[in-house]
Amino acid sequence: MSSFHLGYGTNGFANHRLDDALTVISELGYTAVALTLDHSHLDPFAEDLPARVRAVGDRLGELGLRVVVETGARYLLDPRRKHHPTLLSCEPEVRIDFLRRALRIAADLGADCVSFWSGVKPGNLDEDTAWQRLLTGVAAVHEEAVHRGVRLAMEPEPGHFVSQLDQVLRLRAELGDPELLGVTLDVGHCVAVEESSAADCVRQAGPLLFNVQLDDMLPGVHEHLEFGEGELDLAGTLRALVEVGYAGVAAVELPRHSHAAPEVAARSISALKAALYGAPEHPWLAEAERTIREDPAAVRTLFPSVGRKVGRAALHQETDAEGLVHGTVDDLARGRLLGALVAVLPPAELAAEVLDLYRYGDAAERRGVLRGLHLLPEAVAHTGKQIVEDALRTNDIRLVAGALGPFAARHLDAHSWRHGVLKCLFVGVPVAAVSGLAERTDDELVRMVADYVAEREAAGRTVPADAQAILEGR
């Protein structure tokens, strides 16, 4: 079960009207979009911008698409010079104004974040001056981000002044580690310019990962390629995103493929699903998703049928035979059906439907709901917490494991989450099933685990290796 939303970038649909692009992206099965502000796609300088933003927001809502705002349009600010001016220019005010506009648009759209880059360093500019200009410019934009309550995600871009992940992390540290400043990671760029693999870059960014761009590349060559044409380990990279509990948008970034956008987007999502799920698309599942989008009540009969139709095997049978860590084939399929439901139901109806699927389902159906809770919008998070709390009161290891996924990592209060981790130790659920364990482990959890270990040792009982690992990890 992936914890994130697969999307596609509108800069790869440059020859389509924005509304048409969003429609095609949704029809292909994507659940998110990376929206590049440009002349033809939500021009941030249009006189009727508020009306356009409302229309785009309404359309995104109708299609159930999550959104990030991208700011890499080539000639939006200067018709003669690509990407000019930048934050490194002697007069960066136009770029700063544009990024502030992007933040306002993002706030109105409810976007996950605004993504941006440093720009190319002018040849006559020394390193120290360039770095200082960048710090000043990012700080100015960050003030607007705080005002609007919108996250900023800086992208290391090959050929730009900030071209590698370490530089983004250094910049963030020098600005005082602001909470709203994180990372956009293009996994193809990792292949092209990073010393580490894309998967390791994902792990390095960890909780600071606000936005992900997906494409393939060759080492040393900054050219966006379709999956399979470069040297990206797509499956390993996607597994790393799941491993770190990434729950944002991961959008295909193929800006030079607009001439064949629908076909490229279709090939891309097929490759992504094959890499994520380890198997070709199941025809019954695709039809079930379409049925639910047309008739949401159909989920009540389709959800119980999943295991019989697609199978019940663990996704990683060699290392996770019971599916406690990575889930099962039917978990994954039920998550897809929940995603279809999310796309068409308003929050109140969605909350009621998901709660009924959990209450009246058997253990496999309940587990499927638990493993899909991260797909729910914030407006129904209270229902998700109610479901997680119920699962953690059981001793069914499949439900306990499913309860402590990405949703719990984001939404459970510290007290409940710590007791959930202890529950895993008590009933024998591997803590590898706990999303966000490294990030949320605190002194109080370590104290609780230490007490648990001491009690078992005093009673002459074996101490689970996972308990020792938590203690040693601190």
Side-chain angles (χ1 to χ4, degrees):
M1 173 69 65
S2 66
S3 55
F4 49 88
H5 295 257
L6 294 177
Y8 202 92
T10 59
N11 61 354
F13 274 80
N15 300 328
H16 284 66
R17 298 180 185 88
L18 180 56
D19 187 72
D20 290 340
L22 297 178
T23 300
V24 173
I25 288 167
S26 175
E27 287 175 349
L28 288 171
Y30 293 97
T31 59
V33 64
L35 173 57
T36 297
L37 304 179
D38 206 345
H39 299 289
S40 59
H41 288 172
L42 198 56
D43 184 349
F45 300 99
E47 291 183 3
D48 60 343
L49 180 62
R52 293 190 186 193
V53 172
R54 283 195 298 273
V56 171
D58 289 345
R59 188 61 177 147
L60 291 168
E62 291 167 2
L63 296 171
L65 291 174
R66 197 157 165 174
V67 63
V68 296
V69 171
E70 297 280 355
T71 59
R74 295 185 177 95
Y75 292 98
L76 179 64
L77 306 184
D78 187 324
R80 295 174 181 84
R81 296 184 298 169
K82 176 182 173 182
H83 291 158
H84 275 266
T86 74
L87 293 173
L88 307 178
S89 300
C90 59
E91 296 181 349
E93 291 79 13
V94 173
R95 174 65 58 176
I96 291 172
D97 173 68
F98 167 49
L99 293 176
R100 286 171 171 161
R101 288 172 181 260
L103 285 163
R104 293 194 289 271
I105 291 170
D108 290 340
L109 293 177
D112 280 19
C113 66
V114 169
S115 181
F116 72 108
W117 34 241
S118 67
V120 177
K121 182 178 77 67
N124 61 352
L125 192 65
D126 65 88
E127 296 278 331
D128 290 342
T129 302
W131 189 257
Q132 194 56 51
R133 286 184 182 178
L134 184 60
L135 285 171
T136 301
V138 174
V141 177
H142 180 259
E143 289 180 4
E144 183 73 19
V146 172
H147 178 62
R148 301 291 170 180
V150 176
R151 299 188 303 174
L152 273 172
M154 188 173 195
E155 176 189 2
E157 179 80 15
H160 284 212
F161 183 52
V162 171
S163 61
Q164 294 186 308
L165 176 58
D166 282 343
Q167 293 171 284
V168 177
L169 300 180
R170 174 194 163 195
L171 179 85
R172 187 177 185 276
E174 291 190 20
L175 288 171
D177 294 321
E179 183 179 350
L180 291 180
L181 180 60
V183 177
T184 287
L185 190 69
D186 184 314
V187 299
H189 293 172
C190 299
V191 176
V193 300
E194 296 282 0
E195 294 183 4
S196 302
S197 69
D200 283 343
C201 287
V202 166
R203 297 183 184 100
Q204 182 182 359
L208 298 180
L209 200 57
F210 290 178
N211 182 33
V212 174
Q213 297 169 352
L214 301 171
D215 50 79
D216 210 338
M217 286 194 190
L218 292 166
V221 183
H222 184 203
E223 181 182 358
H224 293 251
L225 304 173
E226 290 189 57
F227 301 119
E229 295 181 356
E231 296 188 11
L232 174 73
D233 176 4
L234 181 59
T237 302
L238 297 178
R239 283 197 299 273
L241 289 172
V242 174
E243 176 187 320
V244 301
Y246 179 65
V249 173
V252 177
E253 173 81 357
L254 292 173
R256 299 186 184 276
H257 291 67
S258 291
H259 63 283
E263 294 81 8
V264 173
R267 288 196 294 269
S268 296
I269 198 163
S270 293
L272 288 167
K273 287 180 177 178
L276 272 171
Y277 310 143
E281 181 80 340
H282 196 289
W284 179 87
L285 181 56
E287 182 59 32
E289 286 180 293
R290 284 192 290 271
T291 300
I292 290 170
R293 286 176 181 267
E294 295 170 2
D295 176 17
V299 74
R300 300 167 194 170
T301 55
L302 293 170
F303 210 73
S305 304
V306 169
R308 296 192 304 274
K309 298 294 185 179
V310 305
R312 301 179 175 87
L315 290 172
H316 298 278
Q317 297 186 50
E318 300 82 2
T319 57
D320 180 32
E322 295 181 82
L324 297 177
V325 176
H326 301 290
T328 60
V329 173
D330 51 323
D331 289 341
L332 200 60
R334 288 191 171 97
R336 296 271 295 277
L337 299 190
L338 284 179
L341 204 60
V342 168
V344 294
L345 285 184
E349 293 179 33
L350 177 64
E353 197 69 63
V354 171
L355 193 56
D356 281 351
L357 289 174
Y358 179 82
R359 280 177 173 168
Y360 303 119
D362 62 17
E365 292 162 47
R366 290 186 169 199
R367 189 183 65 226
V369 171
L370 287 162
R371 288 190 174 273
L373 289 178
H374 63 278
L375 299 171
L376 299 183
E378 291 297 315
V380 296
H382 62 286
T383 299
K385 286 190 278 189
Q386 182 180 347
I387 290 171
V388 167
E389 289 164 359
D390 179 83
L392 290 177
R393 286 193 289 268
T394 76
N395 288 319
D396 186 327
I397 60 174
R398 297 166 299 175
L399 300 187
V400 174
L404 288 172
F407 178 88
R410 294 202 311 275
H411 293 288
L412 273 194
D413 63 84
H415 175 80
S416 300
W417 183 83
R418 292 188 201 107
H419 280 275
V421 176
L422 275 185
K423 184 68 173 271
C424 288
L425 297 178
F426 279 124
V427 301
V429 171
V431 295
V434 180
S435 293
L437 181 64
E439 292 75 30
R440 291 202 62 175
T441 294
D442 58 12
D443 291 342
E444 179 60 16
L445 176 64
V446 171
R447 184 197 65 76
M448 293 166 68
V449 173
D451 288 347
Y452 165 75
V453 168
E455 289 175 6
R456 292 190 68 87
E457 288 178 338
R461 296 178 179 175
T462 303
V463 175
D466 277 348
Q468 293 288 7
I470 290 174
L471 298 181
E472 292 168 5
R474 296 292 287 185

